[in-house]
Amino acid sequence: MTAQTIRHMLRDDDLSPAEQAEVLELALRLRADRHLEKPLAGPQAVAVIFDKPTLRTQVSFATGIAELGGYPLVLDGNLAQIGVRESISDTARVLGRQVSMIVWRTHAQSRIDEMAAVAGVPVVNALTDDFHPCQILADLVTIAQHRGGVAALAGQTLAYVGDGANNMAHSYLLGGVTAGMHVRVGTPEGYLPDAEILAAAAAIAEQTGGSVTVTSDAAAAVAGADAVATDTWVSMGDEATAAERAEPFVPYRLDAALLAHAAPDALVLHCLPAYRGKEITAEVIDGPQSVVWDEAENRLHAQKALMTWLLGQS
């Protein structure tokens, strides 16, 4: 591999619309045949590093790497103390000489950007404070699964209600419009998406026929939507502000009354973990419109597709 040909997935718009469609189509094929691709046969090792708590990310990447023929080298980022005990750049150089890919769940986006700059192998963002691109790929796979395929994504309306400034909102904006969707974010005024990310999403939407809308009116955000998503009101790292954050988000709770504003067959998404009675009610997440468990499974298929695609490009 040369530095000029390495492809990474650091944020959702690292994939062009055509490239995203390729990954999503492959994910659906891998969902149908989990052992279709073996790009890591050998086995080749993939470093999977966790600086933040994890369940679905660890399970889906470890399982996926194994099913692709590789070895998941799971590392405790807090034990490694990347950026403290040893610089990110030095760590990247060490890992890049021994593994075929690096997957990192970390804090600041600048950390994973620095890792990718010098690693010499593909680097995948398994969640940062700013983006969660692997989750959005899984969400898009889930919608495609229930709507007749990847081509059906274009023109669909995806509404997200909750914290508009968190990584899920940012990734829904970028990833959704890349698929040609109309993305609406319903959020309190004090929790708006990052302006640069919103501008980037709007620019992509001009090319794909999608659109972006940010509103403080939860019902307007959800009106007629084909899919409705939410996320916890308190992201990792914000636990100290849980009490003060709760009240502004109460009108954005995804309950039966709010869901009634969406299309009658709207799909309900939640990246998990979910807190029933807070950002979503049990009636909705456990109800007939919920595809949350398909969504959780599709983390596996989407990430396998992404890793296969990145290795093929690099």
Side-chain angles (χ1 to χ4, degrees), residues 77-239:
N78 296 310
L79 185 63
Q81 294 187 323
I82 299 171
V84 177
R85 178 173 176 268
E86 188 169 11
S87 73
I88 294 172
S89 296
D90 285 357
T91 302
R93 292 183 177 97
V94 170
L95 292 175
R97 287 171 175 253
Q98 300 186 51
V99 303
S100 296
M101 180 177 287
I102 298 167
V103 176
W104 198 8
R105 183 178 176 92
T106 190
H107 299 275
Q109 182 71 19
S110 59
R111 288 168 62 79
I112 202 164
D113 291 343
E114 183 177 350
M115 178 77 78
V118 297
V121 296
V123 174
V124 175
N125 179 350
L127 180 144
T128 61
D129 294 343
D130 289 344
F131 304 104
H132 198 355
C134 290
Q135 180 65 60
I136 268 54
L137 288 176
D139 289 12
L140 294 175
V141 169
T142 305
I143 297 170
Q145 172 192 346
H146 288 271
R147 294 295 192 231
V150 175
L153 293 172
Q156 294 267 304
T157 296
L158 170 63
Y160 167 83
V161 287
D163 185 354
N166 74 5
N167 49 16
M168 286 299 298
H170 291 160
S171 281
Y172 275 128
L173 285 164
L174 292 176
V177 297
T178 298
M181 302 181 81
H182 302 292
V183 182
R184 301 185 196 145
V185 175
T187 188
E189 289 291 345
Y191 298 88
L192 300 177
D194 179 271
E196 180 275 328
I197 295 168
L198 191 60
I204 295 169
E206 290 182 1
Q207 303 300 316
T208 64
S211 65
V212 295
T213 302
V214 179
T215 177
S216 60
D217 185 334
V222 170
D226 301 292
V228 183
T230 191
D231 185 21
T232 177
W233 294 338
V234 183
S235 298
M236 285 179 284
D238 292 331
E239 291 83 0

Side-chain angles (χ1 to χ4, degrees), residues 12-89:
D12 304 80
D13 51 357
D14 281 345
L15 295 178
S16 71
E19 291 169 343
Q20 183 198 69
E22 287 181 33
V23 171
L24 298 177
E25 293 281 10
L26 178 55
L28 289 174
R29 294 197 298 274
L30 285 166
R31 182 181 171 89
D33 182 356
R34 285 171 62 155
H35 300 284
L36 180 65
E37 300 283 350
K38 296 287 185 183
L40 291 168
Q44 300 175 52
V46 175
V48 189
I49 312 167
F50 296 104
D51 296 347
K52 289 189 173 188
T54 177
L55 172 66
R56 279 154 297 280
T57 299
Q58 182 168 348
V59 172
S60 56
F61 269 111
T63 301
I65 291 161
E67 291 186 354
L68 294 177
Y71 172 72
L73 178 62
V74 179
L75 302 171
D76 182 343
N78 296 310
L79 185 63
Q81 294 187 323
I82 299 171
V84 177
R85 178 173 176 268
E86 188 169 11
S87 73
I88 294 172
S89 296

Side-chain angles (χ1 to χ4, degrees), residues 160-164 166 186-188 191 230-236 238-239 241-255 270 273-275 277-281:
Y160 167 83
V161 287
D163 185 354
N166 74 5
T187 188
Y191 298 88
T230 191
D231 185 21
T232 177
W233 294 338
V234 183
S235 298
M236 285 179 284
D238 292 331
E239 291 83 0
T241 64
E244 67 187 65
R245 291 174 67 89
E247 185 176 354
F249 290 112
V250 170
Y252 303 86
R253 177 180 291 127
L254 185 51
D255 56 17
H270 192 306
Y275 301 92
K278 293 187 177 180
E279 76 276 2
I280 194 168
T281 60

